[in-house]
Amino acid sequence: MRSKLFVPGSRPELFAKALAGAADALSFDLEDAVADEHKPAARRAVATWLASNEARTTGKPLIVRCNPVGSRHFEADVQAVVAQPALTLLNLPKVEDDAEVLAAIAAIERAEAQRDATATTAPPPLRLLVNIETPKALRRAAALARAHPRVAGLQLGLADLFEPAGIDRRDSASVHAAMLALRLAAAEAGVFACDAAFTDLTDMDGFRAEAMMARRLGYIGKSCIHPSQIAIANEAFAPSAQELDAAQRIVDAAAEAHARGEAAFVVDGKMIDPPFLKRAEALLAQQARAARATPPS
């Protein structure tokens, strides 16, 4: 999921075009991108499209960002979209407390029970992508990720995190600090981390620099708000040939070292022990998954 393109739920004319694009994943937004009076129509449009043959047969992850727990739209969002087997993740915004995560899970389970009562085959339990958008949420990010096994990942929301506090979004040190804090929280909980959106569509160099920073910190990908950002995100989060070659050398050397009964060994002049081997194995596994998901040309 190198690139995750946000698509307003109120713009169904864009759904098929977005699916045909180069984004690894699509995130249909029922929250910030949709005015309050248009939310019911957007909800119906997204649910209808998720039930389509296009959605059911795509290999891309399909995500819906619902409205926050406790809002008047939340339950209706969950009932509408969880009924669709094509949905991969429910993106939960404005989360600060474990109770909100558990309330979302309870709502999902109710919707799944209703769906499965009439379904011939039930899809796997739906998982959550939890947004971290406030100072309290960032401080408690690891606990939020551990609140329930259905939490699959954490997503950084820098605009909501920085703007109310008067923090300059262009201050790379502040961005790095927030990214690192979230990434370490995700690592503690054993879930993935997805980077925030970058709202200045005129600054592709800034988007690229931020994506590369996120990649170096171990994020899986970056949110995109416009198709023009997708290629940059895909490039930034794709491992280079040199990285893959180095990872393969580490894995091969580990097998030889294991046969000798050694847990640490040297590759390319560097001492390698289990943490480095684990990272190399993860990189090769990521590349293998990407290769399986890419249709032949």
Side-chain angles (χ1 to χ4, degrees):
M1 202 164 69
R2 303 165 300 173
S3 54
K4 178 174 65 61
L5 178 65
F6 276 112
V7 184
S10 55
R11 299 288 304 279
E13 72 276 11
L14 299 179
F15 294 175
K17 184 177 181 180
L19 185 68
D24 285 353
L26 302 182
S27 182
F28 299 93
D29 190 11
L30 298 177
E31 191 211 9
D32 285 347
V34 182
D36 196 69
E37 64 270 22
H38 297 307
K39 288 183 186 292
R43 181 187 306 127
R44 290 191 297 270
V46 170
T48 298
W49 191 83
L50 286 173
S52 70
N53 186 62
E54 286 180 293
R56 288 186 285 106
T57 57
T58 184
K60 294 186 178 186
L62 301 178
I63 303 163
V64 169
R65 180 165 74 172
C66 63
N67 286 280
V69 172
S71 71
R72 67 189 185 94
H73 296 287
F74 173 72
E75 289 283 347
D77 287 349
V78 171
Q79 287 293 324
V81 300
V82 171
Q84 311 308 325
L87 184 63
T88 307
L89 291 168
L90 187 69
N91 183 200
L92 192 64
K94 308 295 189 293
V95 180
E96 289 190 323
D97 295 309
D98 299 13
E100 294 169 305
V101 176
L102 298 179
I105 297 299
I108 290 170
E109 289 176 343
R110 289 193 296 271
E112 287 176 338
Q114 293 178 16
R115 177 199 65 197
D116 297 345
T118 57
T120 54
T121 57
L126 183 65
R127 304 192 72 191
L128 284 179
L129 173 60
V130 174
N131 282 8
I132 301 300
E133 304 172 272
T134 67
K136 179 180 178 181
L138 185 58
R139 174 171 53 83
R140 301 196 66 256
L144 293 171
R146 294 196 307 265
H148 195 279
R150 289 207 194 201
V151 177
L154 299 176
Q155 178 171 282
L156 187 60
L158 285 177
D160 288 284
L161 181 65
F162 281 1
E163 290 299 324
I167 299 172
D168 186 353
R169 180 69 170 74
R170 293 290 188 169
D171 180 9
S172 61
S174 298
V175 173
H176 185 278
M179 280 188 184
L180 179 59
L182 181 72
R183 180 65 187 96
L184 291 175
E188 179 182 342
V191 302
F192 69 79
C194 184
D195 191 24
F198 189 87
T199 58
D200 188 348
L201 297 178
T202 67
D203 186 5
M204 293 305 176
D205 289 339
F207 180 89
R208 179 179 287 104
E210 199 165 277
M212 293 301 298
M213 182 189 299
R215 165 74 194 288
R216 291 192 297 271
L217 288 171
Y219 281 70
I220 66 166
K222 189 166 182 62
S223 300
C224 302
I225 61 170
H226 191 272
S228 61
Q229 297 175 328
I230 294 170
I232 299 174
N234 286 346
E235 178 184 356
F237 287 93
S240 67
Q242 293 80 4
E243 289 174 308
L244 293 171
D245 287 345
Q248 189 62 59
R249 289 196 298 274
I250 289 173
V251 170
D252 292 343
E256 297 174 4
H258 179 74
R260 298 192 300 268
E262 299 173 358
F265 49 93
V266 175
V267 176
D268 299 333
K270 299 177 182 178
M271 180 62 68
I272 304 297
D273 58 8
F276 295 94
L277 174 59
K278 184 176 181 180
R279 181 173 183 178
E281 291 172 336
L283 185 64
L284 294 175
Q286 173 192 340
Q287 182 65 11
R289 288 193 299 271
R292 289 194 298 269
T294 302
S297 56

